[in-house]
Amino acid sequence: MAWSSSKYTPNRIANGIKSRIKNCTLPEVRLWCQDFQNNQRYATAEKKFLVVRHAREGGRAYDIILDWLTENLPDIRALFELRQVNCRIRDWSPYILHVPWLQDPVQQWSPKAYLQANSLAAKCDDHKIPIINRVDRHLNAVKSTGSYRIASTGIRTPKVIPIKDIDHFKETLLGLSLPLFVREDWGHGGRIFRADRMDQIRDMDLGSFSHPIAVEFVDTKSKLDGFYRKYRYTVAGDEGVTSSIHIQKSWIVRGKHCEFSEAIREEELGFINNPDPNHEKLLRARKALDLDFVAFDYSYDPEGQLVVWEANPYPTIHFPKSTGKRAYRKPAVERALAAIVKMYLKKSGLPVHPRLDEILHIHK
């Protein structure tokens, strides 16, 4: 229901908190109280975005959007009403958009939250309220399905095959060639086992994987300097933002082990301060995933062909340290936030604030 200070007397607030405490964990109570206070602060807006999250899994991960809007566009910040995924709505009339801020795929970490999110989405459908990144479409972006959908647009992706029978995989490699690697199909990060020889395949302990996949190894090492590069491109609606480059000696490219030098700084600045030549291709890939918002991780093979590794429907977004060596990434983060907020406004049918287009102008 819409928050209104006139409806929430001290007694009603106290009773509501007692009810929450009775059946909720401490993190849930804390998040509920914080959201309640924030919703009261912005209770003046007539129309609202129904934003739901979960205390256990990344509950405050996208506070960066709220904080940025508070500082830059407080009128738009007032549109956000924060609730937990198990909320009950009595009055649907204020809502013009539903945004689940829930880590993908939801059913991986909480089947209960997945059912709750889908129930809420069904009610939004009944009231013709548009939804950003419906949770029942998250599996479109898991590595096996996402690779297939992205490849259908003409983009190269590694061959990805689910391992349903471990013994059969170890005997046949499921038609793949060495080298290859094995990882989880669902989720992001996690363990990766690489095999260059058959004895390494035989020694793999895959029993702890929930949804193991065998993945083709595509060598993207640069012929010029021997480094591996992973580019991130954030697509929100029809907008795209060049976000970062991670450069590493290892074929597993992850942020904390990245190389840094003045030359790398200049290379990354050249990437994030210019439009991505792959925008139209990645926009088609976003549509093929049937998602509104996704961050793509990609590289180039030695022949210069685009290779998309995976898609992230709930990517991590954070500002660099203001005094850190990568402080120059801040404008790129702001452009990503502007693209997300612009997507919300367009999806809900509200006019786009001109300040958002000013921030995004470099990608026009």
Side-chain angles (χ1 to χ4, degrees), residues 156-357:
R156 183 181 182 184
T157 60
K159 295 178 182 177
V160 180
I161 304 176
I163 300 174
K164 299 179 180 179
D165 184 317
I166 293 175
D167 291 335
H168 181 63
F169 159 68
K170 290 186 175 184
E171 290 176 5
T172 67
L173 303 183
L174 304 179
L176 296 177
S177 301
L178 295 173
L180 58 76
F181 57 93
V182 175
R183 65 183 306 191
E184 283 283 6
D185 193 10
W186 293 11
H188 306 280
R191 297 166 301 151
I192 300 178
F193 293 165
R194 173 173 167 171
D196 296 87
R197 307 183 310 272
M198 283 303 299
D199 63 297
Q200 293 173 316
I201 293 287
R202 289 190 291 270
D203 291 341
M204 279 186 180
D205 181 8
L206 305 182
S208 61
F209 283 86
S210 299
H211 301 86
I213 49 172
V215 185
E216 173 192 14
F217 177 78
V218 179
D219 191 358
T220 59
K221 181 191 290 187
S222 169
K223 293 180 179 179
L224 296 177
D225 58 16
F227 287 137
Y228 292 88
R229 287 166 170 79
K230 183 173 71 177
Y231 301 81
R232 169 151 288 195
Y233 192 60
T234 303
V235 182
D238 293 333
E239 295 287 345
V241 177
T242 45
S243 298
S244 63
I245 310 177
H246 290 96
I247 301 176
Q248 211 167 306
K249 293 179 181 178
S250 169
W251 66 278
I252 303 178
V253 182
R254 288 178 175 167
K256 61 182 179 180
H257 301 300
C258 285
E259 301 289 324
F260 187 80
S261 66
E262 187 60 27
I264 287 174
R265 177 182 182 275
E266 292 302 314
E267 179 181 346
E268 187 170 22
L269 276 170
F271 174 68
I272 65 178
N273 287 333
N274 287 283
D276 193 311
N278 304 299
H279 172 73
E280 292 300 328
K281 293 180 180 179
L282 295 173
L283 179 58
R284 289 196 297 271
R286 193 272 296 166
K287 293 177 180 177
L289 294 170
D290 204 14
L291 293 166
D292 306 278
F293 170 55
V294 65
F296 291 99
D297 291 331
Y298 72 82
S299 300
Y300 293 100
D301 67 17
E303 286 69 46
Q305 183 179 9
L306 175 69
V307 181
V308 171
W309 299 114
E310 63 178 310
N312 300 273
Y314 193 74
T316 299
I317 306 171
H318 63 86
F319 282 112
K321 293 181 180 179
S322 59
T323 58
K325 59 187 178 182
R326 292 188 171 86
Y328 59 84
R329 286 179 177 173
K330 181 179 178 181
V333 178
E334 289 191 314
R335 287 193 288 271
L337 297 174
I340 293 168
V341 175
K342 180 177 179 177
M343 171 185 62
Y344 291 170
L345 293 172
K346 291 185 69 174
K347 188 83 168 182
S348 66
L350 293 179
V352 175
H353 194 288
R355 177 62 182 142
L356 298 173
D357 281 328

Side-chain angles (χ1 to χ4, degrees), residues 48-97:
K48 292 287 185 179
F49 299 162
L50 176 60
V51 178
V52 299
R53 45 198 188 164
H54 194 279
R56 193 186 97 191
E57 193 71 22
R60 303 194 63 178
Y62 276 8
D63 277 3
I64 184 174
I65 299 175
L66 306 174
D67 295 341
W68 183 76
L69 286 172
T70 298
E71 183 176 348
N72 294 278
L73 295 164
D75 288 345
I76 297 179
R77 167 61 185 89
L79 296 169
F80 289 70
E81 181 172 296
L82 307 173
R83 307 292 291 269
Q84 293 190 41
V85 69
N86 61 344
C87 67
R88 296 179 181 179
I89 307 297
R90 296 178 182 175
D91 178 8
W92 288 90
S93 62
Y95 301 113
I96 55 175
L97 183 69

